[in-house]
Amino acid sequence: MQRLNSASDGPAALIAATELQAQLTSIEKGIAAAERTPGMLSVADSGLAQASRLLDRIQGNLVASTGNTASPQEKAAMQSEIDAALEALDRLGNTSYSGRRVFTGDSVEFLLGSEPGQTASVNLGEVTSADLGNASGTLSELGSGGEASLESGNGELAEEIIEAARQE
């Protein structure tokens, strides 16, 4: 086997070796990108599971506050819990992986092979209290002073907003 040091050693062989080196580099980059994909998807999955738990907590406080069984002090404490859950949801919206925000509302493309066209995309929506909801309102309306807060007594709107947020 002859070692290639310059084009004068065998131009055709040097071209073939250069092409093979380029393909190898491409494959190595594809493998590295593919290895990062499960990590990002795991972070996104964990974040969405936490968002679901926060929505459960908010909904539980809404249900507990209905009727005349909760005292004003209990309703105020429940509203504080809702406010804390909304703040946690907003922090969750800033989750990042490898320096990139996960929940941007943009489509994220993942390289699946060594060729640029071998990709799959996932759309991870915005996860904040100001973004989740529907035309009637967003989760931020459930916060203190909002149209759907416990103080407003607008439980129907609050339930509608939470259900819409779960669908997003």
Side-chain angles (χ1 to χ4, degrees), residues 3-21:
R3 185 165 177 92
L4 297 173
N5 295 317
S6 68
S8 65
D9 292 336
L14 183 61
I15 290 170
T18 303
E19 287 178 6
L20 285 173
Q21 184 61 43

Side-chain angles (χ1 to χ4, degrees), residues 88-129:
L89 190 66
D90 290 339
R91 285 190 306 276
L92 186 64
N94 289 318
T95 299
S96 64
Y97 180 80
S98 291
R100 179 179 183 190
R101 276 189 59 223
V102 175
F103 302 111
T104 62
D106 297 329
S107 183
V108 179
E109 278 198 358
F110 298 104
L111 187 63
L112 300 177
S114 62
E115 299 297 320
Q118 296 174 326
T119 61
S121 63
V122 175
N123 188 345
L124 299 170
E126 289 272 353
V127 178
T128 66
S129 62

Side-chain angles (χ1 to χ4, degrees), residues 27-46:
I27 290 169
E28 288 171 346
K29 297 288 183 186
I31 289 170
E35 287 173 347
R36 285 190 303 271
T37 299
M40 182 168 185
L41 292 177
S42 177
V43 167
D45 184 52
S46 295

Side-chain angles (χ1 to χ4, degrees), residues 147-161:
E147 284 185 46
S149 66
L150 294 183
E151 305 101 39
S152 74
N154 199 345
E156 262 185 52
L157 177 60
E159 284 293 328
E160 182 182 329
I161 291 170

